[in-house]
Amino acid sequence: LALQFAGGLALALFAWAMLGDRARGAFVATLLLPAIIAPIVVGLYFRIIYSTDYGVLNWLLQAVGIPAVPWTSDQHWALVSVILASAWTGIPMMFLILLGGLLNLPDDVYEAARIDGANPAQQLAFVTLPMLAPLIAIALVLRFADVFNVFDKIFALTGGGPGIATETIPMRLYHMAFQDLDLGYAA
């Protein structure tokens, strides 16, 4: 969730401050592509990227002299791999919410801040973020609900393993119902 927020805020600030209307529209359209892909497809896509034998990520790491990383088979790396895959699909939604808020902020407040001598960092800290606080809260709540209930990406990527390293509540319920055949407890 923190990675999604930081990435979404950074991209929204970039699009708001640096891009014109036409370029912003193209940037938004391109950035939303990961969010419209089915989560099970995202899990399968990242499973290929993370593959120890033929994955693109390990190929790139080995090209610069770093040994292959067991992304989905090691207990610690499996959680990192799920977080990165989830962030890839969550950042665009956070970006879209925050960009909508940034585009609706009043210009006169920034003009007053500039007259008072505020630099861009002070404007961000004392003007932009406080005015975005309600939207930030809404975006975090919506993304938390999605992150808390993730099933399909984990199912396709790690199956909840190794062990229970990437097991979420919905994944645990699935295991109880369909692997342990304890339907009553799972319900």
Side-chain angles (χ1 to χ4, degrees):
L1 187 61
L3 188 60
Q4 291 179 24
F5 173 70
L9 181 62
L11 289 170
L13 288 169
F14 168 76
W16 175 61
M18 303 301 240
L19 300 178
D21 289 339
R22 276 197 152 171
R24 189 180 305 126
F27 187 69
V28 168
T30 304
L31 200 61
L32 285 180
L33 289 175
I36 61 174
I37 298 173
I40 193 79
V41 174
V42 170
L44 293 171
Y45 175 70
F46 273 91
R47 187 175 192 152
I48 293 168
I49 289 173
Y50 291 143
S51 173
T52 308
D53 300 327
Y54 53 85
V56 175
L57 191 56
N58 278 328
W59 178 78
L60 289 172
L61 290 174
Q62 289 174 342
V64 295
I66 300 172
V69 175
W71 291 103
T72 57
S73 59
D74 181 69
Q75 191 171 5
H76 303 292
W77 287 109
L79 188 57
V80 170
S81 68
V82 168
I83 290 169
L84 292 175
S86 185
W88 187 71
T89 57
I91 286 174
M93 296 310 296
M94 189 70 74
F95 159 78
L96 193 61
I97 294 169
L98 296 176
L99 180 62
L102 286 169
L103 291 174
N104 288 308
L105 293 178
D107 291 333
D108 56 346
V109 178
Y110 289 99
E111 185 179 341
R114 278 190 297 277
I115 291 170
D116 288 342
N119 63 35
Q122 291 170 327
Q123 289 177 23
L124 176 67
F126 299 114
V127 178
T128 305
L129 291 179
M131 286 196 300
L132 277 182
L135 269 177
I136 290 172
I138 290 169
L140 288 173
V141 167
L142 290 174
R143 294 306 309 150
F144 176 78
D146 188 46
V147 168
F148 191 73
N149 290 316
V150 69
F151 172 81
D152 25 24
K153 282 181 225 135
I154 294 175
F155 182 76
L157 190 57
T158 65
I164 59 169
T166 60
E167 193 171 73
T168 59
I169 293 173
M171 184 59 82
R172 180 69 188 133
L173 293 175
Y174 171 81
H175 285 158
M176 280 191 288
F178 299 109
Q179 287 181 342
D180 301 341
L181 297 175
D182 194 354
L183 297 173
Y185 192 67

